[in-house]
Amino acid sequence: MSPRTNARPFDVVLFGATGFTGGLTAEYLAARLPSEAKLALAGRNPAKLEAVRGRLLRSNPQLEDLALLQADSSDRQSLSRVAESARVVITTVGPYLEHGEPLVAACAAAGTDYVDLTGEPEFVDRMYAEHHATAERTGARIVHACGFDSIPHDLGALFTVQQLPPGAPVTLRGVVRTNAAISGGTLHSGLGQLSRPRAMVRAASARRRLEPRPRGRRVRTRLGLPGRDRVLGTWLIPLPTIDPEVVRRSALARPDYGPDFAYSHYAGVRRVATVAGAVAGFAAALAAVQVPPLRRAIGRRLPQGEGPAAERRERAWFTVDFVGESGGQTVHTQVRGGDPGYTETAKMLAESALCLAFDDNPPTAGQVTTATAMGENLLRRLRDAGIAFTVITTTAAPHDGR
Ligand SMILES: NC(=O)c1ccc[n+]([C@@H]2O[C@H](COP(=O)([O-])OP(=O)(O)OC[C@H]3O[C@@H](n4cnc5c(N)ncnc54)[C@H](OP(=O)(O)O)[C@@H]3O)[C@@H](O)[C@H]2O)c1
């Protein structure tokens, strides 16, 4: 435990326990929390929080003393109280561009570790510019994107790099496939971010001006082209999500990614017709969300607080395949699990918080990625919790492109 915060009343506080993903995260924690750990739930609505506690108590009667803290993202003092009472704060209160900044500020100031589920690049870049330096000074580890965005990609890239010969340039691509559905909270967060493309680019440029560059090493992301992947036998659609940026930041921070690291990120589909449909569909959706009435109409199709039912989640799966090449060797690895957005996301988020609270991690502070802050410890936890990280093939010869 960190001597800095180990006298605090709670090891972990979950903010947003009354929402769809927050509820699943609370259930996961209730089932897996180490017996000595102290947990509290935080939210803006005491009656809803009480209902969540009642539900958790039915599955784990030992949670009788589970504390409930009232906090609202528009009330900075309430968030400071949460941050100062905890060693690690988990937040599922999104959209993060709308609600997230005050809690990051409170955790950075209080030296409290922080994990969230954002997939909004503008939010992460703005938090770097505004709070990274404070968090570095207080020792807080601010770890964004601790769900399906971006843990399978970030830790999958780390796992793949570790299968390759050290010290040589690495070329890596990640290819995601899933059959999952999304929640209202995810839809609204996505609509919010897609409606602000210029603000997103401005925040990314401001961040790059502040970010230190590694001496004597090169780290790049490449926006690839659609095409056929001969190693995987799928068609590739370039995927400009937050994930490649997270992988890039881990590679910047970890010299074990080699002297010259390049990453590209794709969705994988079986049929070529799907490539054209997906590219056209994304372009149409991007145009539609720039028009406020259309954006609101899309948002009304799936209200916040709702998400895929348990039976739908039980049928859901994801894979992320990685093809890495270095020193004349090619390795194909895969990360695989169940419902990515909610069941597995709740697991990844909760395990990230437990890893920060209880594992012996490398010394880091400020805004850091999962691979940098927790790396191998989180990888081990997720494998123990049923998410597979496997080597599919290793070949001595380099493959000729894709
Ligand atoms: N990247 C990923 O892999 C991934 C996966 C899943 C979810 N997510 C993200 O996680 C976030 C949550 O998604 P969700 O589907 O769980 O959303 P949700 O069901 O709408 O839950 C939102 C939560 O935020 C709380 N909240 C809203 N405004 C608040 C305020 N002013 N103060 C305090 N609490 C407030 C809500 O409280 P009430 O109950 O009181 O309304 C609720 O607990 C979204 O941003 C989504 O994009 C990301």
Side-chain angles (χ1 to χ4, degrees), residues 15-25 42-46 48-49 52 70-75 78-79 91-99 116-120 145-153 182-190 242-243 303-308 340-346 348-349:
F15 184 45
T18 56
F20 185 72
T21 322
L24 295 173
T25 308
R44 61 178 168 177
N45 183 328
K48 277 176 130 181
L49 278 177
V52 176
Q70 196 174 355
D72 192 299
S73 65
S74 61
D75 173 357
S78 70
L79 299 180
T91 173
T92 56
V93 175
Y96 292 90
L97 272 168
E98 202 177 315
H99 297 297
D116 73 19
L117 285 182
T118 189
E120 297 142 89
C146 294
F148 184 58
D149 285 321
S150 297
I151 284 184
H153 316 94
I182 64 164
S183 72
T186 300
L187 177 65
H188 285 261
S189 299
I242 196 171
D243 305 313
Q304 282 168 280
E306 290 182 15
Y342 305 97
T343 310
E344 301 295 41
T345 279
M348 293 185 242
L349 182 63

Side-chain angles (χ1 to χ4, degrees), residues 192-354:
Q193 180 61 95
L194 287 176
S195 70
R196 302 166 53 89
R198 277 192 287 272
M200 187 169 83
V201 170
R202 270 198 306 276
S205 323
R207 182 209 181 101
R208 285 200 186 215
R209 282 194 297 275
L210 292 171
E211 215 166 33
R213 292 196 185 147
R215 289 244 174 107
R217 294 178 59 228
R218 190 154 75 136
V219 172
R220 292 166 290 161
T221 52
R222 287 186 188 143
L223 188 63
L225 295 169
R228 177 106 179 128
D229 190 313
R230 272 174 289 155
V231 177
L232 303 177
T234 54
W235 290 91
L236 301 177
I237 305 169
L239 201 56
T241 58
I242 196 171
D243 305 313
E245 272 306 297
V246 173
V247 172
R248 185 183 72 83
R249 281 173 209 142
S250 296
L252 282 173
R254 293 189 55 138
D256 52 342
Y257 282 58
D260 187 355
F261 177 84
Y263 181 69
S264 47
H265 191 64
Y266 304 89
V269 293
R270 289 276 178 233
R271 292 183 313 133
V272 67
T274 316
V275 179
V279 173
F282 180 74
L286 190 60
V289 299
Q290 310 310 316
V291 184
L294 286 179
R295 185 163 72 241
R296 284 193 291 275
I298 299 170
R300 277 196 295 276
R301 296 176 72 90
L302 191 50
Q304 282 168 280
E306 290 182 15
E311 311 81 67
R312 176 73 182 82
R313 285 187 278 115
E314 267 157 35
R315 291 198 308 274
W317 56 266
F318 78 88
T319 55
V320 189
D321 287 272
F322 292 89
V323 180
E325 188 189 323
S326 177
Q329 191 172 312
T330 299
V331 64
H332 169 197
T333 67
Q334 188 180 67
V335 184
R336 192 178 63 254
D339 168 53
Y342 305 97
T343 310
E344 301 295 41
T345 279
K347 181 187 286 181
M348 293 185 242
L349 182 63
E351 291 293 352
S352 299
L354 295 175

Side-chain angles (χ1 to χ4, degrees), residues 116-153:
D116 73 19
L117 285 182
T118 189
E120 297 142 89
E122 181 192 343
F123 173 68
V124 174
D125 291 338
R126 278 184 24 206
M127 294 309 96
Y128 181 85
E130 292 168 27
H131 302 297
H132 170 71
T134 307
E136 265 196 320
R137 201 173 57 246
T138 62
R141 292 168 289 186
I142 307 293
V143 196
H144 300 289
C146 294
F148 184 58
D149 285 321
S150 297
I151 284 184
H153 316 94

